[in-house]
Amino acid sequence: MLNISFTNRVAIVTGAGGGLGRTYALELARRGAAVVVNDLGCTYDGQGVSRSMADAVVDEIKMGGGRAVASHDSVTTSTGGKAIVQTALDAFGRVDVLINNAGSLRNAAFDELSDDLIDQMIDVHLKGAFHVTRPAFRAMKEQRYGRIVMTSSAAGMFGNHQQAAYAAAKAGLIGLMN
């Protein structure tokens, strides 16, 4: 079996405090990458803030012999996106991999969607990817190497009951990726 190594690579994973993001961060670290574990520590529906989720993943990586730092910055602002990338540059001197995985899920019937819910889905999923990718891309372009992954969803391709805002944001990621 092919053994893919990320030795001497630096990865940023947004939304890495739990779920798929946590899995990505742990696997990248297991394969040798230094990892920036970015997470606000929100619940699956975007409520609350806690440093404990990102910190726990960092601790797990370090206990396994890996290198990692936490970022508690929000992907929903340009300032937050720049800070996330700067965390990688300050801690490890470069950024080679970015996995845009941050997200939340709030269900509502289409005719009951609030403007606030629509904004929250677009801000974290789609605008969040823009906010982190632009400074990461600049660093990757300067070093002439980098890989960017967008975590989308089947809901973005096919839709899903009570997930119009989520699906629209995830479909936007597909367009951005392309």
Side-chain angles (χ1 to χ4, degrees):
M1 178 171 180
L2 182 64
N3 185 14
I4 299 171
S5 174
F6 287 87
T7 301
N8 300 319
R9 298 291 185 199
V10 176
I12 298 170
V13 183
T14 66
L20 288 174
R22 177 180 175 274
T23 301
Y24 299 148
L26 293 174
E27 186 61 21
L28 285 162
R30 188 182 75 75
R31 292 173 180 260
V35 182
V36 174
V37 177
N38 168 257
D39 205 289
L40 289 180
C42 302
T43 61
Y44 75 93
D45 62 353
Q47 304 302 305
V49 174
S50 170
R51 292 176 168 261
S52 63
M53 291 178 71
D55 293 347
V57 176
V58 168
D59 289 345
E60 190 171 350
I61 289 170
K62 287 180 174 180
M63 285 176 43
R67 299 181 306 145
V69 295
S71 163
H72 306 101
D73 298 288
S74 176
V75 301
T76 64
T77 67
S78 179
T79 301
K82 289 175 187 172
I84 294 164
V85 174
Q86 194 61 50
T87 297
L89 296 173
D90 290 346
F92 305 116
R94 60 186 294 121
V95 57
D96 300 294
V97 177
L98 167 62
I99 300 180
N100 286 301
N101 178 73
S104 62
L105 181 61
R106 305 262 310 272
N107 293 338
F110 182 75
D111 60 343
E112 297 174 11
L113 280 171
S114 68
D115 291 345
D116 186 51
L117 190 144
I118 294 168
D119 289 344
Q120 288 173 17
M121 292 296 100
I122 299 296
D123 285 351
V124 72
H125 294 278
L126 184 55
K127 287 174 69 177
F130 271 102
H131 292 317
V132 183
T133 300
R134 287 182 303 156
F137 178 79
R138 289 179 193 115
M140 291 172 177
K141 185 177 176 182
E142 186 175 308
Q143 68 196 22
R144 302 175 58 84
Y145 178 86
R147 302 293 185 262
I148 299 169
V149 176
M150 308 285 181
T151 303
S152 188
S153 169
M157 294 292 293
F158 307 111
N160 203 21
H161 180 67
Q162 294 198 340
Q163 294 182 346
Y166 173 80
K170 289 301 194 178
L173 282 174
I174 296 166
L176 174 60
M177 175 185 60
N178 288 334

